[in-house]
Amino acid sequence: MFDRLNNPKAIMIKQLADEADAAQHPRDLAGWITDRKSRRAIPHRMAQAGYLPVRNSGDKTGLWKILGAKQVVSAQKELSLHDQVKAVNDQIKQAETDAKVRAEAEADAKAQAQAKADAKAQAQAKSDAGQFMYEDAGQGQGASAG
């Protein structure tokens, strides 16, 4: 799993779950990662993979605030504490940048869909108006002929 993520210096559990979900791991790894029952086992598995949790010294819980949620972030255990904290801060900045880009892309897609729907509605309205004009013209001719 870490290989698929290019062995990042720091990683959040959510990243692992998202990657496992995208990979459609046969043993439902994403479900296991996000399951509350697995929370005590995850740090041991992360340590086996070479990652240790990095405490946030600026927060009494030791968790990092990322995109409005407090989360555990783990870093490669061979890094110094200074490098681990730097890697975590870099990871947080990257997560925030990715979220901003994703939100902008979603907003653009929504705006394009709305513009397309508006154009379709305008075209339908013009078509309907033209149809009514044609019907009115036809009714007027039929009335004078009779």
Side-chain angles (χ1 to χ4, degrees):
M1 185 65 60
F2 294 101
D3 292 338
R4 288 179 56 102
L5 293 167
N6 297 320
N7 296 311
K9 290 183 179 182
I11 191 161
M12 297 172 279
I13 299 301
K14 183 174 179 355
Q15 286 177 290
L16 283 175
D18 290 347
E19 183 61 30
D21 195 37
Q24 299 176 345
H25 200 274
R27 296 188 313 177
D28 192 26
L29 183 60
W32 181 83
I33 291 171
T34 57
D35 189 0
R36 292 181 67 87
K37 296 176 191 174
S38 305
R39 289 210 175 144
R40 294 188 72 188
I42 289 173
H44 302 290
R45 297 290 174 102
M46 294 291 286
Q48 289 173 348
Y51 288 83
L52 295 176
V54 179
R55 293 189 53 82
N56 179 358
S57 62
D59 185 82
K60 63 184 176 185
T61 63
L63 300 175
W64 299 88
K65 192 165 186 176
I66 306 166
L67 302 174
K70 289 191 172 189
Q71 301 182 42
V72 173
V73 183
S74 297
Q76 293 176 350
K77 60 183 170 185
E78 68 266 3
L79 297 175
S80 69
L81 179 59
H82 176 267
D83 289 341
Q84 287 178 341
V85 171
K86 182 182 181 321
V88 169
N89 285 320
D90 291 347
Q91 188 65 38
I92 291 169
K93 287 177 187 170
Q94 186 63 48
E96 290 170 348
T97 300
D98 291 349
K100 184 178 179 182
V101 167
R102 205 169 27 255
E104 289 172 355
E106 288 172 3
D108 288 347
K110 188 175 181 180
Q112 287 177 355
Q114 185 64 46
K116 189 174 181 180
D118 291 347
K120 186 175 181 180
Q122 286 178 349
Q124 184 65 41
K126 284 182 182 179
S127 174
D128 291 347
Q131 184 68 27
F132 291 136
M133 290 172 63
Y134 177 74
E135 288 174 359
D136 288 345
Q139 288 175 358
Q141 289 174 355
S144 63

